[in-house]
Amino acid sequence: TTPVVHEKYEWSNIWWDCADDASLPRVLLIGDSISCGYSAVVTRLLEGRYHVDRLGTSRSLNDPVLAKETLVMLEDSKYAAIHFNNGLHGFHITGPQYAEALKSWLALIKAHCGDAKLIWCASTPVTKNGDPATLAGENEIVTTRNALAAGIMQPANIPTDDLYSLVVGRPEIKSGDGYHYTGDGYEVLGKAVAEAVLKVVE
């Protein structure tokens, strides 16, 4: 078993949109702080058609808390689509360990998602702090994980929303801290996510 290594601060951001309104189907976004950033854009773009819930979390794939958080969402609500990602936390996990943990998490989601359409989301690039035009050394981990995930999702017939290719080489929409995005960047990301969701549900 891969040991769990906690970050200094672990967090989760769980949100149910219009929680008491059952008149519209629901979409679930699972990811990290990047997904928290684009969720408001997705909510706006899907307004009137879908309610958009979210699970944003810092937990790495091999952390049992991630499974518990995921079950909280899947056991509470029925979803038309689930757009999910985990790749920018837990950099201590090796590639093979990441792949095995991703397979386990995917199996958990599939076992509890009902008829939801699944969409895997490629992790976004990591750039040097203060230099958004230059990829950081850790970005090699991200590209490795995206490739490993592709090898798992393709045989399972789960489409990938390739946000990595969408924003790599676009320093003008990064915030400068290496990970996050400007308001314009989240607009770009959120539009792509909304389009990926609509492609599988409509």
Side-chain angles (χ1 to χ4, degrees), residues 73-112:
M73 305 304 295
L74 298 185
E75 292 177 351
D76 180 81
S77 302
K78 179 181 179 182
Y79 291 102
I82 300 171
H83 184 280
F84 65 111
N85 162 265
N86 186 299
L88 294 181
H89 289 275
F91 278 2
H92 64 285
I93 301 174
T94 66
Q97 290 167 342
Y98 176 85
E100 286 306 306
L102 180 56
K103 289 175 185 176
S104 296
W105 190 42
L106 175 60
L108 175 78
I109 292 172
K110 291 177 74 172
H112 295 273

Side-chain angles (χ1 to χ4, degrees), residues 11-45:
W11 56 269
S12 67
N13 184 320
I14 291 177
W15 180 276
W16 286 274
D17 188 38
C18 301
D20 268 341
D21 182 8
S23 66
L24 294 176
R26 294 186 170 272
V27 168
L28 176 60
L29 308 179
I30 304 179
D32 47 35
S33 55
I34 310 300
S35 67
C36 293
Y38 60 63
S39 66
V41 179
V42 180
T43 300
R44 187 186 77 240
L45 293 174

Side-chain angles (χ1 to χ4, degrees), residues 118-159:
L118 301 183
I119 309 161
W120 171 251
C121 175
S123 294
T124 48
V126 179
T127 51
K128 289 187 175 180
N129 191 0
D131 182 11
T134 304
L135 293 172
E138 297 91 337
N139 193 66
E140 186 175 342
I141 298 174
V142 178
T143 56
T144 296
R145 290 181 172 186
N146 283 343
L148 290 168
I152 294 168
M153 300 303 160
Q154 287 170 3
N157 294 314
I158 296 172

